[in-house]
Coordinates of all heavy atoms in Angstrom, one line a residue:
P46 N -52.7 115.1 10.3 CA -51.7 115.7 11.1 C -51.9 115.7 12.6 O -51.0 115.9 13.4 CB -51.6 117.2 10.6 CG -53.0 117.4 9.9 CD -53.4 116.1 9.5
R47 N -53.2 115.5 13.0 CA -53.5 115.5 14.4 C -54.5 114.3 14.7 O -55.5 114.1 14.0 CB -54.2 116.8 14.8 CG -54.6 116.9 16.2 CD -55.3 118.2 16.5 NE -56.0 118.2 17.7 CZ -55.7 119.0 18.8 NH1 -54.7 119.8 18.6 NH2 -56.3 118.9 19.9
V48 N -54.1 113.5 15.7 CA -54.9 112.4 16.1 C -55.0 112.4 17.6 O -54.0 112.7 18.3 CB -54.3 111.0 15.7 CG1 -55.2 109.9 16.0 CG2 -54.0 111.0 14.2
E49 N -56.2 112.1 18.1 CA -56.4 112.0 19.6 C -56.7 110.5 20.0 O -57.4 109.9 19.3 CB -57.6 112.9 20.0 CG -57.2 114.4 19.8 CD -58.2 115.3 20.4 OE1 -58.6 115.1 21.6 OE2 -58.7 116.2 19.7
Y50 N -56.1 110.1 21.1 CA -56.2 108.7 21.5 C -56.7 108.7 22.9 O -56.5 109.6 23.7 CB -54.8 108.0 21.5 CG -54.3 107.8 20.1 CD1 -53.3 108.6 19.6 CD2 -54.8 106.8 19.3 CE1 -52.7 108.4 18.4 CE2 -54.2 106.6 18.0 CZ -53.2 107.4 17.6 OH -52.7 107.2 16.3
D51 N -57.4 107.6 23.3 CA -57.7 107.3 24.7 C -56.8 106.1 25.0 O -56.8 105.0 24.5 CB -59.2 106.7 24.7 CG -59.5 106.2 26.1 OD1 -58.7 106.1 27.0 OD2 -60.7 105.9 26.3
C52 N -55.8 106.5 25.9 CA -54.8 105.5 26.3 C -55.1 105.0 27.7 O -54.6 105.5 28.7 CB -53.4 106.2 26.3 SG -53.0 106.8 24.6
Q53 N -56.0 104.1 27.8 CA -56.5 103.5 29.0 C -56.9 104.6 30.0 O -56.4 104.6 31.1 CB -55.4 102.6 29.6 CG -55.2 101.4 28.7 CD -54.1 100.5 29.2 OE1 -52.9 100.8 29.0 NE2 -54.4 99.3 29.8
G54 N -57.7 105.5 29.5 CA -58.3 106.5 30.4 C -57.5 107.9 30.4 O -58.0 108.8 30.9
V55 N -56.4 107.9 29.7 CA -55.6 109.2 29.6 C -55.7 109.6 28.1 O -55.5 108.9 27.2 CB -54.1 109.0 30.0 CG1 -53.4 110.3 29.7 CG2 -54.0 108.5 31.4
R56 N -56.2 110.9 27.9 CA -56.3 111.4 26.6 C -54.9 111.9 26.1 O -54.3 112.7 26.7 CB -57.3 112.6 26.6 CG -57.7 113.0 25.2 CD -58.9 114.0 25.3 NE -59.3 114.3 24.0 CZ -60.5 115.0 23.8 NH1 -61.3 115.3 24.8 NH2 -60.9 115.3 22.6
L57 N -54.5 111.4 24.9 CA -53.3 111.7 24.3 C -53.5 112.4 23.0 O -54.2 111.8 22.1 CB -52.4 110.5 24.2 CG -51.1 110.7 23.5 CD1 -50.1 111.5 24.3 CD2 -50.5 109.3 23.1
T58 N -53.0 113.6 22.7 CA -53.1 114.2 21.4 C -51.7 114.1 20.8 O -50.7 114.4 21.4 CB -53.5 115.7 21.6 OG1 -54.7 115.8 22.3 CG2 -53.6 116.4 20.2
V59 N -51.7 113.7 19.5 CA -50.5 113.5 18.7 C -50.6 114.5 17.5 O -51.5 114.4 16.7 CB -50.3 112.1 18.2 CG1 -49.0 112.0 17.4 CG2 -50.3 111.1 19.4
E60 N -49.6 115.4 17.4 CA -49.6 116.3 16.3 C -48.3 116.1 15.5 O -47.2 116.3 16.1 CB -49.6 117.8 16.8 CG -51.0 118.1 17.4 CD -51.1 119.5 17.9 OE1 -51.1 120.4 17.0 OE2 -51.1 119.7 19.1
Y61 N -48.4 115.5 14.3 CA -47.3 115.2 13.5 C -46.7 116.3 12.7 O -47.5 117.2 12.3 CB -47.7 114.1 12.5 CG -48.1 112.8 13.2 CD1 -49.4 112.4 13.4 CD2 -47.1 111.9 13.6 CE1 -49.8 111.3 14.0 CE2 -47.5 110.7 14.2 CZ -48.8 110.4 14.4 OH -49.1 109.2 15.0
S62 N -45.4 116.3 12.5 CA -44.8 117.3 11.6 C -45.2 117.0 10.2 O -45.7 115.9 9.9 CB -43.3 117.3 11.7 OG -42.8 116.1 11.3
V63 N -45.1 117.9 9.3 CA -45.5 117.7 7.9 C -44.9 116.5 7.2 O -45.5 115.8 6.5 CB -45.2 119.0 7.0 CG1 -45.5 118.8 5.6 CG2 -46.0 120.2 7.6
D64 N -43.6 116.2 7.5 CA -42.9 115.1 6.9 C -43.0 113.8 7.8 O -42.5 112.8 7.4 CB -41.5 115.4 6.6 CG -40.6 115.7 7.8 OD1 -41.2 115.6 9.0 OD2 -39.4 115.9 7.7
G65 N -43.6 113.9 8.9 CA -43.8 112.7 9.8 C -42.6 112.4 10.6 O -42.5 111.3 11.3
S66 N -41.5 113.2 10.6 CA -40.3 112.8 11.3 C -40.3 113.1 12.8 O -39.5 112.6 13.5 CB -39.1 113.6 10.6 OG -39.2 115.0 10.8
R67 N -41.3 114.0 13.2 CA -41.4 114.3 14.6 C -42.9 114.4 14.9 O -43.8 114.5 14.1 CB -40.8 115.7 14.9 CG -39.4 115.8 14.7 CD -39.0 117.3 14.9 NE -37.6 117.4 14.5 CZ -36.6 117.6 15.4 NH1 -36.9 117.6 16.7 NH2 -35.3 117.7 15.0
A68 N -43.2 114.3 16.2 CA -44.6 114.5 16.7 C -44.5 115.1 18.1 O -43.6 114.9 18.9 CB -45.3 113.1 16.7
L69 N -45.5 115.9 18.3 CA -45.7 116.5 19.6 C -46.8 115.7 20.3 O -47.9 115.6 19.8 CB -46.2 118.0 19.5 CG -46.6 118.6 20.8 CD1 -45.5 118.7 21.8 CD2 -47.2 120.0 20.6
L70 N -46.4 115.1 21.5 CA -47.4 114.4 22.3 C -47.8 115.3 23.4 O -47.0 115.9 24.1 CB -46.7 113.1 22.9 CG -46.0 112.2 21.9 CD1 -45.5 110.9 22.7 CD2 -46.9 111.7 20.8
T71 N -49.1 115.4 23.6 CA -49.7 116.2 24.7 C -50.7 115.4 25.5 O -51.6 114.7 24.9 CB -50.3 117.5 24.2 OG1 -49.4 118.1 23.3 CG2 -50.8 118.4 25.3
W72 N -50.6 115.4 26.8 CA -51.5 114.7 27.7 C -51.9 115.6 28.8 O -51.3 116.7 28.9 CB -51.0 113.3 28.2 CG -49.6 113.4 28.9 CD1 -49.5 113.5 30.2 CD2 -48.3 113.4 28.3 NE1 -48.1 113.6 30.5 CE2 -47.4 113.5 29.3 CE3 -47.9 113.3 27.0 CZ2 -46.0 113.5 29.1 CZ3 -46.5 113.3 26.8 CH2 -45.6 113.4 27.8
P73 N -52.9 115.3 29.7 CA -53.3 116.3 30.6 C -52.3 117.0 31.5 O -52.4 118.1 31.9 CB -54.3 115.5 31.5 CG -54.9 114.5 30.5 CD -53.7 114.1 29.7
D74 N -51.2 116.2 31.9 CA -50.2 116.8 32.8 C -48.8 116.9 32.2 O -47.9 117.0 32.9 CB -50.2 116.1 34.1 CG -49.8 114.6 34.0 OD1 -49.8 114.1 32.9 OD2 -49.6 114.0 35.1
G75 N -48.7 117.0 30.9 CA -47.4 117.1 30.3 C -47.4 117.0 28.8 O -48.4 116.9 28.1
S76 N -46.2 117.1 28.2 CA -46.0 117.0 26.8 C -44.6 116.6 26.5 O -43.7 116.7 27.4 CB -46.4 118.3 26.1 OG -45.5 119.3 26.5
D77 N -44.3 116.2 25.3 CA -43.0 115.8 24.9 C -42.9 115.8 23.3 O -43.9 115.5 22.7 CB -42.7 114.4 25.4 CG -41.2 114.0 25.3 OD1 -40.3 114.9 25.1 OD2 -40.8 112.8 25.5
V78 N -41.8 116.2 22.8 CA -41.5 116.1 21.4 C -40.8 114.8 21.1 O -39.8 114.5 21.8 CB -40.7 117.3 20.8 CG1 -40.4 117.1 19.4 CG2 -41.5 118.6 21.0
V79 N -41.3 114.0 20.2 CA -40.7 112.7 19.9 C -40.2 112.7 18.5 O -40.8 113.3 17.6 CB -41.6 111.5 20.2 CG1 -41.9 111.4 21.7 CG2 -42.9 111.6 19.5
K80 N -39.1 111.9 18.2 CA -38.6 111.8 16.9 C -38.7 110.4 16.4 O -38.6 109.4 17.1 CB -37.1 112.2 16.9 CG -36.8 113.6 17.3 CD -35.4 113.9 17.4 CE -35.1 115.3 17.9 NZ -33.7 115.5 18.2
W81 N -38.9 110.3 15.1 CA -39.1 109.0 14.4 C -37.7 108.3 14.5 O -36.7 108.8 14.3 CB -39.5 109.2 13.0 CG -39.5 107.9 12.2 CD1 -40.6 107.0 12.2 CD2 -38.5 107.3 11.4 NE1 -40.3 105.9 11.4 CE2 -39.0 106.1 10.9 CE3 -37.3 107.7 11.0 CZ2 -38.3 105.3 10.0 CZ3 -36.5 106.9 10.2 CH2 -37.0 105.7 9.7
H82 N -37.8 106.9 14.8 CA -36.6 106.1 14.8 C -36.9 104.9 13.8 O -38.0 104.5 13.7 CB -36.3 105.5 16.2 CG -35.7 106.5 17.0 ND1 -34.3 106.6 17.3 CD2 -36.2 107.6 17.7 CE1 -34.0 107.6 18.1 NE2 -35.2 108.2 18.4
R83 N -35.8 104.4 13.2 CA -36.0 103.3 12.3 C -36.7 102.1 12.9 O -36.4 101.8 14.1 CB -34.6 102.9 11.8 CG -34.6 101.8 10.8 CD -33.2 101.5 10.4 NE -32.4 102.7 10.1 CZ -31.8 102.9 9.0 NH1 -31.8 102.0 8.1 NH2 -31.2 104.0 8.7
A84 N -37.6 101.6 12.2 CA -38.3 100.4 12.7 C -38.6 99.5 11.5 O -38.4 99.9 10.3 CB -39.6 100.8 13.4
R85 N -39.1 98.3 11.7 CA -39.4 97.5 10.6 C -40.6 98.1 9.7 O -41.3 98.9 10.2 CB -39.7 96.1 11.0 CG -41.0 95.9 11.8 CD -41.2 94.4 12.3 NE -42.5 94.2 12.9 CZ -42.8 94.6 14.1 NH1 -41.9 95.1 14.9 NH2 -44.0 94.3 14.6
S86 N -40.7 97.6 8.5 CA -41.7 98.1 7.6 C -43.1 98.1 8.2 O -43.5 97.1 8.8 CB -41.7 97.3 6.3 OG -42.6 97.8 5.4
G87 N -43.9 99.1 8.0 CA -45.2 99.2 8.5 C -45.4 99.6 10.0 O -46.5 99.6 10.5
V88 N -44.3 99.9 10.6 CA -44.3 100.2 12.0 C -43.7 101.7 12.2 O -42.7 102.0 11.6 CB -43.4 99.3 12.9 CG1 -43.3 99.7 14.3 CG2 -43.9 97.9 12.8
L89 N -44.4 102.5 13.0 CA -43.9 103.8 13.3 C -43.4 103.8 14.8 O -44.2 103.3 15.6 CB -45.0 104.8 13.1 CG -45.4 105.1 11.7 CD1 -46.5 106.1 11.7 CD2 -44.2 105.7 10.9
D90 N -42.2 104.2 15.0 CA -41.6 104.2 16.3 C -41.1 105.6 16.6 O -40.2 106.0 15.9 CB -40.5 103.1 16.4 CG -40.1 102.8 17.8 OD1 -40.9 103.0 18.7 OD2 -38.9 102.4 18.0
Y91 N -41.6 106.3 17.6 CA -41.2 107.6 17.9 C -40.6 107.6 19.3 O -41.2 107.0 20.2 CB -42.3 108.6 17.8 CG -42.8 108.9 16.4 CD1 -43.8 108.2 15.8 CD2 -42.3 110.0 15.7 CE1 -44.2 108.4 14.5 CE2 -42.7 110.3 14.5 CZ -43.7 109.5 13.9 OH -44.1 109.8 12.6
R92 N -39.5 108.3 19.6 CA -38.9 108.3 20.9 C -38.5 109.8 21.3 O -38.0 110.5 20.4 CB -37.7 107.5 21.0 CG -38.0 106.0 20.7 CD -36.7 105.2 20.8 NE -37.0 103.9 20.1 CZ -36.0 103.2 19.6 NH1 -34.7 103.5 19.8 NH2 -36.3 102.1 19.0

């Protein structure tokens, strides 16, 4: 449910909803809620 990334020097925390339809993105100077959008098989695309 929670994954932390190093995005070229910026730490990004991703907290997924239980069903995976939304995620909260948090970085040092901000945050955003993103929603899953249809993508090809094997790809997750959140906007």
Side-chain angles (χ1 to χ4, degrees):
R47 179 184 168 112
V48 182
E49 293 189 51
Y50 293 104
D51 175 353
C52 299
Q53 295 175 283
V55 177
R56 191 170 185 167
L57 176 69
T58 301
V59 180
E60 296 181 67
Y61 295 97
S62 63
V63 173
D64 65 358
S66 66
R67 295 173 188 257
L69 170 63
L70 307 182
T71 307
W72 57 94
D74 62 348
S76 65
D77 195 12
V78 173
V79 292
K80 297 177 186 173
W81 177 82
H82 283 261
R83 183 181 310 235
R85 69 184 186 279
S86 180
V88 175
L89 291 174
D90 193 29
Y91 290 88
R92 299 180 201 159

